[in-house]
Amino acid sequence: MEKSFVIKGNVCQTKNPKELDLHEKAFAVCVDGISKGVFDVLPEEYKELPLYDYGDAMIFPGMVDLHVHAPQYAFRGMCMDLELMDWLNRYTFPEEEKYEDLAYAEKAYGMFVDALKKGATTRASIFATRHRPATELLMKLMEESGLISYVGKVNMDREASEKLTEDSAEISAYTTFGWINAVKDKFTRTFPILTPRFIPCCTDKLMEELRQIQMAYGIPVQSHLSESKGEIDFVKFLRPNNLFYGDVYDEYDLFGKNDDINTDMKTVMAHCVWSTDEEVELMRKNGVYVAHCPASNMNLTSGIAPIRKYMDLGLNIGLGSDVAGGHSDSIFRAITDAIQVSKMYFRMVDETYKPLVFSEAFYLATKGGGSFFGKVGSFEEGYEFDAIVMDDSILVHPQTLNLAERMERVVYLGLDEKNITAKYVAGRKIL
Amino acid sequence: MEKSFVIKGNVCQTKNPKELDLHEKAFAVCVDGISKGVFDVLPEEYKELPLYDYGDAMIFPGMVDLHVHAPQYAFRGMCMDLELMDWLNRYTFPEEEKYEDLAYAEKAYGMFVDALKKGATTRASIFATRHRPATELLMKLMEESGLISYVGKVNMDREASEKLTEDSAEISAYTTFGWINAVKDKFTRTFPILTPRFIPCCTDKLMEELRQIQMAYGIPVQSHLSESKGEIDFVKFLRPNNLFYGDVYDEYDLFGKNDDINTDMKTVMAHCVWSTDEEVELMRKNGVYVAHCPASNMNLTSGIAPIRKYMDLGLNIGLGSDVAGGHSDSIFRAITDAIQVSKMYFRMVDETYKPLVFSEAFYLATKGGGSFFGKVGSFEEGYEFDAIVMDDSILVHPQTLNLAERMERVVYLGLDEKNITAKYVAGRKIL
């Protein structure tokens, strides 16, 4: 497939959090899947490449969803009157049990992948369920979609429904070994990620097994951290000797950079709403990513993560839809939610932390989360070429708009699949 | 036009805030524009009426938007990085100035009315601008849409841009007299509402003039109240002798029930984010409505209105989109925003005020705000028949869903104009 070409349109991106980088009717050049930059006048050397002119359309880097649960897509926008632990037990676990059944999984994951493919997201870090066959099916579907993703078979050997809980730490580990071996070299766009559900669902024994798996494979890790007060209290009860929640992951070498095992294992932790200063400091030191999921944190009454504080401290941060704690799979929505909750944090909690501005939240959704995947989230030279092309003409207006206004409006009004006219992932056109 | 008929579908409503009232494949009966109730089996007496079977579609009462600025629709979803007073001066006033030009107003208001007509809203209380001709044009367009609304020519004689400020209190009052006389009996669905912009924009002299107008006409009143800290400080500076912000409106008999002038003048005040106990008590006593606009309160960093507190005290409350402080004109969005901000208020500010549940927020969007228009917002017997019929089949799902789940999902995922298959306002089919 052709991976060298030029697309022309209104290119909008954020090279840094502080400013929009806007180019009207400009040329974005892709050579072998890698961006060569954005040019107002097409350089001579690229004039032989095929040129696709999208006219007055908007061109953004693809959106990065750093935290999403594929099996929860089925019940997005429902069951939103409960907090985390009750919500898990009453709605989430019963739904996830169904993925034992591959026919159900195929139907449900098909809908999830179809939605993700048609939307603005080009990269995602995905939770499946604890079921290996359904997880492999999801990976196959993701691979076929053309999107690039990490997908995790979930590890959970306690504190869930009987059907969803794995029979033992050993069986969980054994299944995970088999799964990683089967998938680690199988796909070109879909990769395994170690996925202990969260501490309440993982015994010490299982955590120790996962450490052993990491010694062997050193793949990325994703989990949940300091999301909800009830959850955090439960972790304190389960692990009274740990200094803080993240310290448990760290004790098992599942918390970012790890000199002991000489690997730079990438770790992303969803939420971090109530992380203590010590936890935040360890995350910073270890390069652990925060997947900020504002909609979910509102829906499950978890709270507001102090993202300005994390940004000031230099943490790695991306945005997550957290479907179905979050009800929308749109990262555009996550951008505006991130801005809104930061405003509420500023106004209602602590006025020392200034609200996020639009450029900052857009940056988190692109380069912020994108760096979990490498050089992703920008059209700067050397970045993998992820692009979405959007027709915003459906958004009528009586006045003349400049590009900054159109960019903000596309995000706030949430242009969706019906308005995405083309989509490229690492230079490959998938829509 | 036929105003007696039966529609069949999945009827979902909230007769009270505490519970959903759901009827699968039921019959909603309308006689002369008034609801006769919802029936699982169609009573004999209505079997002669025309029956429209909408199959598996969802039927909701129409949504009520208790606070929206028509001239701001043009810049919805833009300019969201500022707080209220700066946002007004930098974006809002310059845009509103344009409505001096009737050709511009026709284009812009045409877009606004078209969107409102196609969406889920059946009733609205609308701010125009200070310009009488453009306001009358907006009223004409609203009347033609079939929606039922209050529309206000704005009064403002200070503290705005030179072009937008009226030349004097007398001219503002004189224009308003002329406008009310011209429109008060002109339409069947569109009614004038007295609209002092807010205290910062209205001199004492103008407020006194508006009191005189109310003595003559006793029409409803809409304005803004205790929205933003900067605004409130400014009102304190301007009116140091008033006990609280709402006391200024009350001093001029523009704050709800008023025994002095023997009229039950309905008043709706947008926001009430920071209302003091005294202000709240006066609102309760006078029956003043709160138009709760959660998206706007987030976007402009105003804060979170303690709606649970207001509900507990028995205040009249409806929801408002507050376009363009709010970026979406969808009252479905206002429902989910209201729930989300109430959860943040509970978690981050005061745990004595429990979050709103879905049924409560849906109630506010229908019967809550609907009562400002009379018996509106329900299919109970005697209510004006406002209905929206929605095809939710676009929202794919692998599992079986019950009606409560479908209802919540329609609202959270924000089905919009593309999925509204029919719409009735006071028994009149407008879509």
Side-chain angles (χ1 to χ4, degrees):
Chain A
M1 177 177 286
E2 168 195 274
K3 291 178 83 173
S4 298
F5 55 86
V6 180
I7 60 175
K8 187 178 180 195
N10 297 307
V11 182
C12 303
Q13 63 178 355
T14 45
K15 294 196 279 193
N16 65 66
K18 289 294 168 200
E19 57 193 351
L20 304 178
D21 182 56
L22 307 171
H23 301 267
E24 276 188 55
K25 307 277 173 78
F27 302 87
V29 177
C30 175
V31 173
D32 287 334
I34 304 297
S35 181
K36 290 291 176 185
V38 180
F39 305 94
D40 295 327
V41 177
L42 188 62
E44 198 61 42
E45 59 189 301
Y46 304 125
K47 288 199 170 158
E48 298 301 309
L49 293 176
L51 169 68
Y52 303 98
D53 188 342
Y54 288 110
D56 196 35
M58 306 290 279
I59 300 177
F60 289 3
M63 296 291 121
V64 179
D65 189 345
L66 220 47
H67 185 67
V68 57
H69 292 264
Q72 297 176 17
Y73 184 73
F75 67 97
R76 71 203 183 285
M78 295 183 254
C79 327
M80 302 262 69
D81 284 342
L82 294 177
E83 289 194 31
L84 177 66
M85 303 305 277
D86 291 331
W87 176 81
L88 285 172
N89 287 312
R90 188 145 150 212
Y91 298 114
T92 308
F93 292 157
E95 179 63 26
E96 290 196 11
E97 287 174 3
K98 298 178 187 170
Y99 292 76
E100 177 80 39
D101 173 4
L102 266 185
Y104 185 83
E106 179 151 25
K107 189 173 168 191
Y109 281 154
M111 291 170 179
F112 167 75
V113 173
D114 186 56
L116 211 62
K117 176 172 179 171
K118 290 178 178 163
T121 298
T122 50
R123 314 251 172 171
S125 191
I126 303 171
F127 279 57
T129 63
R130 64 102 164 158
H131 311 94
R132 178 179 161 186
T135 302
E136 291 187 27
L137 172 66
L138 173 59
M139 294 182 85
K140 175 176 154 285
L141 294 172
M142 283 301 299
E143 181 74 8
E144 289 165 1
S145 76
L147 300 165
I148 294 179
S149 64
Y150 290 109
V151 176
K153 180 211 113 46
V154 174
N155 297 99
M156 49 193 299
D157 70 339
R158 69 173 172 192
E159 292 296 338
S161 61
E162 194 183 342
K163 278 183 72 176
L164 198 60
T165 307
E166 293 175 292
D167 291 332
S168 70
E170 292 81 357
I171 286 175
S172 179
Y174 176 81
T175 311
T176 303
F177 261 118
W179 165 67
I180 295 174
N181 274 322
V183 299
K184 71 183 166 58
D185 302 315
K186 187 171 179 183
F187 304 112
T188 60
R189 293 178 282 277
T190 315
F191 311 102
I193 182 165
L194 203 66
T195 306
R197 183 167 204 127
F198 65 160
I199 297 303
C201 280
C202 299
T203 61
D204 299 356
K205 175 87 183 119
L206 175 55
M207 294 299 284
E208 181 56 37
E209 293 280 359
L210 296 181
R211 183 222 300 272
Q212 297 302 323
I213 290 175
Q214 278 308 80
M215 298 287 277
Y217 295 106
I219 63 176
V221 177
Q222 64 181 353
S223 194
H224 300 90
L225 182 64
S226 299
E227 175 179 3
S228 160
K229 290 191 161 183
E231 167 215 19
I232 293 166
D233 289 344
F234 193 37
V235 171
K236 272 191 195 134
F237 168 78
L238 292 166
R239 303 282 316 203
N241 296 325
N242 285 93
L243 301 171
F244 46 87
Y245 191 160
D247 185 46
V248 190
Y249 295 110
D250 192 55
E251 182 178 325
Y252 296 99
D253 299 329
L254 299 170
F255 206 62
K257 272 183 210 146
N258 192 325
D259 296 334
D260 298 345
I261 54 175
N262 195 30
T263 174
D264 180 6
M265 100 180 59
K266 287 181 299 190
T267 298
V268 56
M269 289 285 160
H271 307 305
C272 306
V273 174
W274 300 104
S275 293
T276 62
D277 288 347
E278 295 82 357
E279 184 165 280
V280 173
E281 172 52 24
L282 187 60
M283 293 178 74
R284 192 200 57 73
K285 179 167 156 280
N286 289 8
V288 172
Y289 279 72
V290 177
H292 177 42
C293 307
S296 171
N297 299 158
M298 285 193 279
N299 287 332
L300 299 176
T301 322
S302 302
I304 302 174
I307 293 301
R308 168 65 66 203
K309 178 177 165 185
Y310 300 163
M311 288 174 74
D312 288 348
L313 290 168
L315 263 60
N316 290 318
I317 310 169
L319 299 183
S321 68
D322 193 27
V323 163
H327 54 279
S328 166
D329 60 340
S330 164
I331 296 299
F332 287 159
R333 176 68 190 257
I335 292 173
T336 60
D337 286 338
I339 297 168
Q340 289 185 326
V341 301
S342 77
K343 288 172 174 173
M344 290 305 92
Y345 194 87
F346 168 78
R347 178 60 73 221
M348 308 304 283
V349 182
D350 187 342
E351 296 212 344
T352 60
Y353 294 114
K354 291 248 176 303
L356 303 193
V357 297
F358 178 71
S359 62
E360 292 174 317
F362 192 90
Y363 178 90
L364 296 182
T366 51
K367 282 182 79 170
S371 63
F372 193 73
F373 292 84
K375 294 186 82 168
V376 169
S378 166
F379 297 110
E380 289 159 271
E381 187 172 2
Y383 276 70
E384 297 184 48
F385 195 92
D386 288 10
I388 45 175
V389 181
M390 287 162 297
D391 174 9
D392 65 345
S393 63
I394 190 176
L395 303 175
V396 295
H397 55 100
Q399 79 281 48
T400 307
L401 298 181
N402 64 38
L403 210 47
E405 291 168 330
R406 286 174 64 186
M407 179 185 185
E408 191 177 354
R409 192 178 66 142
V410 162
V411 173
Y412 267 92
L413 302 184
L415 275 193
D416 64 7
E417 61 195 50
K418 289 168 289 295
N419 314 107
I420 293 176
T421 50
K423 187 167 172 178
Y424 298 84
V425 184
R428 189 164 175 268
K429 189 172 191 299
I430 69 162
L431 275 183
Chain B
M1 177 177 286
E2 170 195 270
K3 290 180 81 174
S4 298
F5 54 86
V6 180
I7 61 175
K8 187 178 179 193
N10 297 306
V11 181
C12 304
Q13 63 178 354
T14 45
K15 293 195 280 192
N16 64 68
K18 290 295 169 200
E19 59 192 351
L20 304 178
D21 181 57
L22 307 171
H23 301 268
E24 275 188 54
K25 309 277 173 79
F27 302 87
V29 178
C30 176
V31 173
D32 286 336
I34 303 297
S35 181
K36 289 292 176 182
V38 181
F39 306 93
D40 295 328
V41 178
L42 187 62
E44 197 63 37
E45 59 190 298
Y46 304 125
K47 287 198 172 160
E48 298 300 309
L49 294 176
L51 169 68
Y52 304 98
D53 188 342
Y54 288 109
D56 197 34
M58 306 289 279
I59 300 177
F60 289 4
M63 297 292 123
V64 179
D65 189 343
L66 220 46
H67 184 68
V68 57
H69 292 263
Q72 298 176 15
Y73 184 74
F75 67 95
R76 70 201 183 285
M78 297 184 252
C79 328
M80 303 261 67
D81 285 343
L82 293 178
E83 289 193 33
L84 176 66
M85 303 306 277
D86 292 332
W87 175 82
L88 285 172
N89 287 312
R90 189 145 147 212
Y91 299 114
T92 308
F93 293 157
E95 179 62 27
E96 291 195 11
E97 286 173 4
K98 298 178 187 169
Y99 291 75
E100 178 80 39
D101 173 3
L102 265 184
Y104 185 83
E106 180 152 25
K107 189 173 169 190
Y109 281 153
M111 291 172 180
F112 167 75
V113 173
D114 186 55
L116 211 61
K117 177 173 179 170
K118 289 178 179 162
T121 298
T122 50
R123 312 253 172 170
S125 190
I126 304 172
F127 278 58
T129 63
R130 64 106 164 153
H131 311 94
R132 179 179 159 184
T135 303
E136 291 187 27
L137 171 66
L138 173 60
M139 295 182 86
K140 174 177 155 285
L141 294 172
M142 283 301 299
E143 181 74 7
E144 289 165 1
S145 75
L147 300 165
I148 294 178
S149 63
Y150 291 109
V151 176
K153 178 208 115 47
V154 174
N155 297 100
M156 48 194 300
D157 69 340
R158 69 173 171 193
E159 292 296 336
S161 60
E162 194 183 344
K163 277 182 71 177
L164 197 59
T165 307
E166 294 175 290
D167 291 332
S168 69
E170 290 80 359
I171 286 175
S172 179
Y174 176 80
T175 311
T176 302
F177 262 118
W179 164 67
I180 294 175
N181 274 320
V183 299
K184 73 183 167 55
D185 302 314
K186 185 172 182 182
F187 305 112
T188 60
R189 294 178 282 277
T190 315
F191 311 102
I193 183 167
L194 203 67
T195 307
R197 184 167 204 126
F198 65 162
I199 298 302
C201 281
C202 299
T203 60
D204 300 356
K205 174 87 181 123
L206 175 55
M207 294 299 284
E208 180 56 36
E209 294 280 359
L210 296 181
R211 184 223 300 270
Q212 297 303 324
I213 291 176
Q214 277 307 79
M215 297 286 277
Y217 295 105
I219 63 175
V221 177
Q222 63 181 354
S223 193
H224 300 91
L225 182 64
S226 298
E227 174 178 3
S228 159
K229 290 191 164 185
E231 167 215 21
I232 294 166
D233 289 344
F234 193 37
V235 171
K236 273 190 195 133
F237 169 78
L238 292 166
R239 302 283 315 207
N241 296 325
N242 285 93
L243 301 171
F244 46 87
Y245 191 159
D247 186 45
V248 189
Y249 294 110
D250 192 56
E251 182 177 325
Y252 296 100
D253 299 328
L254 299 169
F255 207 60
K257 271 183 212 145
N258 193 323
D259 296 334
D260 298 345
I261 54 173
N262 194 28
T263 176
D264 180 5
M265 96 179 62
K266 288 181 298 188
T267 297
V268 56
M269 288 284 158
H271 308 304
C272 307
V273 173
W274 301 104
S275 293
T276 61
D277 288 346
E278 294 82 357
E279 184 164 281
V280 172
E281 173 51 23
L282 186 60
M283 294 177 74
R284 192 199 58 71
K285 179 166 158 281
N286 289 6
V288 172
Y289 279 73
V290 176
H292 178 40
C293 306
S296 171
N297 298 159
M298 287 192 278
N299 287 333
L300 299 177
T301 322
S302 302
I304 302 175
I307 292 302
R308 167 65 67 203
K309 179 176 164 185
Y310 299 163
M311 287 173 74
D312 288 349
L313 290 169
L315 262 60
N316 290 319
I317 310 169
L319 299 182
S321 67
D322 193 25
V323 164
H327 54 280
S328 167
D329 60 342
S330 164
I331 296 298
F332 287 160
R333 176 68 188 257
I335 292 174
T336 61
D337 286 339
I339 297 168
Q340 289 184 326
V341 301
S342 77
K343 288 171 174 174
M344 290 304 93
Y345 194 87
F346 168 78
R347 179 61 72 220
M348 309 303 283
V349 182
D350 187 341
E351 296 213 345
T352 60
Y353 294 114
K354 291 249 176 302
L356 303 194
V357 296
F358 178 72
S359 62
E360 292 175 316
F362 192 90
Y363 179 90
L364 296 182
T366 51
K367 281 181 79 170
S371 63
F372 193 72
F373 292 84
K375 293 187 83 169
V376 169
S378 166
F379 297 110
E380 290 158 271
E381 189 173 359
Y383 276 69
E384 296 185 47
F385 195 92
D386 287 12
I388 46 176
V389 181
M390 288 162 296
D391 175 8
D392 66 345
S393 62
I394 190 176
L395 304 174
V396 295
H397 55 99
Q399 80 281 47
T400 307
L401 298 181
N402 64 37
L403 210 47
E405 291 167 331
R406 286 173 65 186
M407 179 185 184
E408 191 176 356
R409 192 178 66 142
V410 162
V411 172
Y412 267 92
L413 301 183
L415 277 192
D416 63 7
E417 60 194 51
K418 291 171 287 296
N419 313 107
I420 292 177
T421 50
K423 186 168 173 178
Y424 298 84
V425 184
R428 189 163 175 268
K429 189 171 190 298
I430 71 162
L431 277 184

